[in-house]
Structures are given as C-alpha cells and as structure tokens.
Amino acid sequence: MGELPALVRVFAYLSLLTVGGGMAAYPEMKTLTVDVHGWLTSSQLVHLYSVGQLSPGPNMMMIVPIGDWVGGVLGAVLVLMAFFGPTALLTFAVGRFWSRLETWPWRTSIQRGLAPVSIGLLLAGCFTLAKSAVFGLETAAIATGVLLTLLQTKINPAVLVLGGAVIGVLSLQ
Amino acid sequence: MSDVRTQLQLEPDADAAPASVAISRIFFEFLIIGATSFGGVVPYLRESLVTRQRWLSDQEFVELLSISQSLPGLNATNMAILVGQRLSGALGSVAGILGICLPGSALMLIVGIVYRTHGDHAWATGALKGVAAAAVGLVLSTVVQLSKKSLEQRVDYLFVALTVLAVNLMHLSVLLALVVVGCLAIFWHRPIDFNRRGNRG
C-alpha cells in the first residue's frame, strides 16, 4: 500500500508522454515500472502490453493489472485516474479553445512539427518492445507477417494478434 | 454549454445535431464502443458517432480526430473527451471517458488476475510469445500508415530518426526527446509569415 503515491506519480508522468499513441510511453514505462520500482518483470510487461492489444476500448488498459498487482483494486483505479486524468483535462481545455485558434498560424506548425516526433516516439517504443518480443526466426516471422498483412489488407488487427497466439501454441510441439 | 450553442448556430446544418444530448445516452454509446472496438477504436467511433447517432458530420469527426492525435493521450479517450464536450459540456466528457474505459479496464483486471496465476503454463507461454511478436508487427504497421499520411517533407524523416536515436540509443528520457526534437520540428515548420518577415520589410 505504501507504493500507491509512487504508482500515481509514475502513471501521471507517463500520461503526458503518450503523444501519438500509448506505445510512445512504453520505453519510459519499462524503465520506471520494471527497472526503478520493480513492480513487474520485463517479460510480464511485454505480455501485458501485447495481450492488452486484444482488449476493446483504449489500447493501454494493460496498466490496470499493474495497478491491481501493486495496490489491489484501489491501485487499479488510481492508475486509471493518474494515466487518463492529466491528458483528459488538457484535451478538455484545448477543445474549448481550438476553434478560436483556427487563425493562429502556429497551430498548423505545431501539428506538422509534432507529427514526425510522435511517429518517432511510436517507433522507439516499438524497438523497445521488439527487443524483448522478437527473438529467433519464428517470432520475427510472426511480426513480419502481421506487418505485411495489415499493410496489404483491411483485416481487423485483433484477429491477427489472436493468430499470433495460435501459432505460438502450435509451435510448442 | 454556451460554447456548444454558439458552435451549433454557426453550423449550416445545425438541425442535424441535437442541441444537447442526454448524459446517459453519451455514456451508453461510449460504453458500447468501449466494449466492442476490437482491434482499434477509430473505425468504431466513426460508425457510431457519424453513421449511427449522427452526432457529428464526417468533417467534424476528422477535425476532432486530428486534435486528438496532436495532443498527448490516447485517441480513444481524447475523442471521448472532445465529443462529450461538444454534445453536453464537461459532464458529457466525463460520461464519454467513463463509458469508453469501463469495459476494457474490467476485462484487463480479470486478464491480469488469470495471467498471474496461470501465465507460466506451457500453452500460455507459447501463446504469449506469439501475441507479443504480433503486437510488434501491429505497432510497426501503425508507424508505416501514419508516416505515409503525415510526413510531408524529407526533413520530417530526419525528425523521426532523431527521436528514435534520442530514446533508443542515447537513452534520453522520452519527455526530453519530445520537448527538444518537438521544438526543433515546430520551429522548422514555423508559419511562413514569421519566416519571411525580414524580406518583406
């Protein structure tokens, strides 16, 4: 229970890094939750993140189990509030002023400037994830297969992630 | 509330959107999206908000989505905040974000408990290995699709590379990389007027 304030601090900070998507915060999440606080192991984090992609709704609900493991259901609720609260307030504030900013020339500059940075953050998060998730021919083949299929077709990504699970189980034999 | 009304009056087809939508309707609509949006929320949001409920026009949807994408926060929750705000002010935003978050967080709470007790079974280890590898492919495809859509100049790829180098090789904090490369990129894309002020005088 003594960990609750740290839990709130860490996830409120991670909240502000999620520019472009939850994956942008992944490298820092790994550092803080695994290396600094030891709330879970590196492979547990990879597993939670990946399974979280199968869940409907916002794709970072994998933070809920971390909160639960550290501080029970209260921990889970606090993590949710810390992770979604700050950005919710910011978005609400910007939403009120956005139409008034239409003639402000820097608005376009900010959007165009942040686009490559948010893509870079996603890619950096992806590399951090890949370091623990892709090893050997089989996992590399699954990752490449999913990438190419998603670029070529309009198939639902959740189906492919499930497909990855099936291949993973079948390859045990 | 007054903001919402002014915007609706300016809208030429204002009668298509109700002046204020009941909080409970907003909550349940986002609850349904939160419970069914497997594989990414954006298509489900559009289907619900534009096609089914007609709370937004296609153009408004794209506009709100672009705000969501430029701000920190997930697209799903930022959209819930912005759409809720537009439909019914602050309470609408609260209803939207609660609705879209509840199903997934309840599900992941259960998944986390099951994982902790059974995650080391052989079949679970195998499945998780495959799921993690697939997730890498999924994130990479998002990166490729976003790049095609929003990287306009060659120098943008340099900003992408700088960000990746700062985080993965120099191990700078994500926040520092975001601020430094972000300011650099925003300044590069600075307004033309600002750029040419000297020449014009």
Side-chain angles (χ1 to χ4, degrees), chain B residues 9 12 14-15 40 44 56 85 119-120 150 159 167 170 180-181 183:
Chain B
Q9 277 161 10
D15 52 331
Y44 296 87
L56 299 175
Q85 178 181 50
D120 49 356
S150 52
F159 293 133
V167 176
M170 297 162 65
V180 172
V181 188
C183 287

Side-chain angles (χ1 to χ4, degrees), chain B residues 52-181:
Chain B
R52 200 167 52 221
Q53 298 290 346
R54 298 184 177 213
W55 284 339
L56 299 175
S57 69
D58 228 357
Q59 195 194 340
E60 285 172 306
F61 181 82
V62 172
E63 191 198 325
L64 292 187
L65 191 61
S66 102
I67 306 175
S68 299
Q69 283 164 341
S70 340
L71 291 173
L74 309 185
N75 281 341
T77 49
N78 283 355
M79 281 299 279
I81 293 288
L82 292 173
V83 174
Q85 178 181 50
R86 192 163 277 215
L87 295 176
S88 218
L91 276 178
S93 294
V94 173
I97 196 169
L98 282 181
I100 206 166
C101 284
L102 263 179
S105 49
L107 182 67
M108 283 308 289
L109 185 71
I110 296 165
V111 167
I113 293 167
V114 174
Y115 169 75
R116 209 154 63 145
T117 44
H118 300 288
D120 49 356
H121 285 195
W123 60 268
T125 317
L128 289 166
K129 190 173 83 171
V131 166
V136 172
L138 169 59
V139 182
L140 270 181
S141 79
T142 311
V143 169
V144 173
Q145 279 156 354
L146 279 177
S147 303
K148 275 190 200 156
K149 206 171 60 185
S150 52
L151 300 186
E152 295 161 1
Q153 303 175 4
R154 247 182 248 168
V155 67
D156 285 333
Y157 289 89
L158 181 69
F159 293 133
V160 173
L162 273 178
T163 312
V164 174
L165 285 178
V167 176
N168 285 137
L169 287 181
M170 297 162 65
H171 297 289
L172 291 185
S173 88
V174 174
L175 185 64
L176 196 61
L178 175 65
V179 170
V180 172
V181 188

Side-chain angles (χ1 to χ4, degrees), chain A residues 18 47 57 91-92 96 109 156, chain B residues 37-38 73 78 85 115 152 189:
Chain A
T18 53
H47 290 159
T91 303
F92 188 82
R96 301 195 82 168
S109 305
N156 188 318
Chain B
S37 54
F38 292 95
N78 283 355
Q85 178 181 50
Y115 169 75
E152 295 161 1
H189 289 290

Side-chain angles (χ1 to χ4, degrees), chain A residues 8 10 20 26 56 67 71 82 121 131 133 140:
Chain A
V8 171
V10 164
Y26 189 83
L121 290 180
K131 264 185 244 165

